[in-house]
Amino acid sequence: NAGVMQNPRHLVRRRGQEARLRCSPMKGHSHVYWYRQLPEEGLKFMVYLQKENIIDESGMPKERFSAEFPKEGPSILRIQQVVRGDSAAYFCASSPRGDSQSPLHFGNGTRLTVT
Amino acid sequence: EDKVVQSPLSLVVHEGDTVTLNCSYEVTNFRSLLWYKQEKKAPTFLFMLTSSGIEKKSGRLSSILDKKELSSILNITATQTGDSAIYLCAGGSNAGNNRKLIWGLGTSLAVNP
C-alpha cells in the first residue's frame, strides 16, 4: 500500500513564476491536508480538502495560493507569481476520515526554493 | 490562543542513553495528543493518546498523557543513532477535523555513537 506521494521533491522557481505541487493520498483516503513548514515556525495548516471540495482554507493566503482535489487525479497546491517568502517545505497529509481521532499520514514533502 | 510547546528544543545524547521529551498543550476542547517522528522527510506517526495515565508502547518508545497537567512525555530507552530525528507533538480538538491539530516546534534529538 503506497503511502502519500508528493512530487516533485524539489522545485526551484524564479520570482514571478508559478509553482504546482502535487499530492496523491494513500489508497482509501479521501481527506487531504496541506501544510507548510519553516524551520522556526513548525508545521502550519494551509488547507483541507475532500474529493472535489475545499472544506477549510483558513490557513492559506487569499492571494496567489489555490488548491484543488479533483474527482480523478492528485490534489494540487498552486502558487502563482511566487516570491522569495514562499520558499519552504510543503507537506501533504491524508487520512481516511476528517476527525482528530484519525492520524494523518504525511508525504515526503516538496521543497520549494524561489530564486 | 491554542498552543503546543515542546521541550527541550534540542538534545544530544550518547547511544544507550534514555531520553524524555516533553510536550505541554493548551488546546480548546482537547481531544487527542499525537506524536510524530520526522527525519529528513515525512513526519511518521508514532502515537495517539486520548486517555490520561494509559501508557502506549512501541518497542523502545513509550508515551503517556497527563490531562491534569496538560502534558505528555515521550520516552526513548536504549537510544540508537537511528533515533536521531525531530520529534513533533500535536494537540487535537474535538472540533471534529484534523485541521484543528496544533503543532509544536519539535524537539531535535541527536544520538551520537
Side-chain angles (χ1 to χ4, degrees):
Chain A
N1 186 13
V4 178
M5 304 299 291
Q6 285 188 253
N7 66 81
R9 285 297 310 280
H10 301 276
L11 183 61
V12 179
R13 285 286 177 266
R14 289 204 182 98
R15 276 185 301 169
Q17 291 184 320
E18 178 179 284
R20 279 195 183 208
L21 289 62
R22 293 175 187 77
C23 169
S24 296
M26 281 182 75
K27 191 175 179 182
H29 288 193
S30 59
H31 298 257
V32 165
Y33 307 79
W34 285 93
Y35 284 85
R36 171 182 155 123
Q37 188 177 43
L38 285 166
E40 281 76 49
E41 294 183 10
L43 278 165
K44 296 291 186 191
F45 165 79
M46 296 183 73
V47 61
Y48 162 39
L49 310 103
Q50 279 184 271
K51 278 288 185 183
E52 300 186 89
N53 292 305
I54 295 175
I55 307 301
D56 183 350
E57 56 184 348
S58 59
M60 198 160 65
K62 297 219 179 326
E63 293 179 0
R64 303 189 298 109
F65 285 72
S66 63
E68 62 178 19
F69 188 15
K71 191 175 179 182
E72 302 290 338
S75 175
I76 307 283
L77 178 68
R78 185 182 293 112
I79 311 172
Q80 295 177 302
Q81 299 175 312
V82 296
V83 300
R84 288 226 174 91
D86 296 332
S87 296
Y90 291 84
F91 285 95
C92 168
S94 72
S95 67
R97 303 190 311 269
D99 62 88
S100 59
Q101 296 283 295
S102 183
L104 299 178
H105 297 265
F106 283 85
N108 285 336
T110 293
R111 189 161 298 279
L112 172 66
T113 303
V114 180
T115 62
Chain B
E1 185 183 331
D2 290 350
K3 63 180 178 182
V4 169
V5 177
Q6 293 186 244
S7 64
L9 282 180
S10 65
L11 194 53
V12 181
V13 300
H14 290 291
E15 267 191 316
D17 288 351
T18 293
V19 298
T20 298
L21 310 183
N22 301 286
C23 174
S24 64
Y25 61 88
E26 292 177 29
V27 175
T28 308
N29 298 319
F30 173 82
R31 184 74 181 272
S32 57
L33 192 292
L34 296 93
W35 284 97
Y36 283 79
K37 176 183 181 182
Q38 185 175 22
E39 295 170 89
K40 292 213 184 297
K41 31 196 183 177
T44 51
F45 173 73
L46 293 175
F47 298 111
M48 173 183 277
L49 305 155
T50 55
S51 300
S52 208
I54 298 174
E55 186 183 55
K56 291 219 173 175
K57 207 167 163 58
S58 176
R60 296 176 294 102
L61 277 66
S62 63
S63 185
I64 196 161
L65 178 67
D66 185 337
K67 285 186 177 179
K68 203 171 172 184
E69 296 295 325
L70 304 183
S71 66
S72 172
I73 58 170
L74 175 69
N75 277 321
I76 309 175
T77 59
T79 51
Q80 302 171 357
T81 53
D83 295 327
S84 297
I86 296 173
Y87 290 84
L88 297 168
C89 166
S93 79
N94 67 358
N97 286 299
N98 272 309
R99 71 177 183 266
K100 295 300 183 186
L101 286 176
I102 309 296
W103 294 83
L105 294 181
T107 292
S108 178
L109 173 66
V111 181
N112 292 329

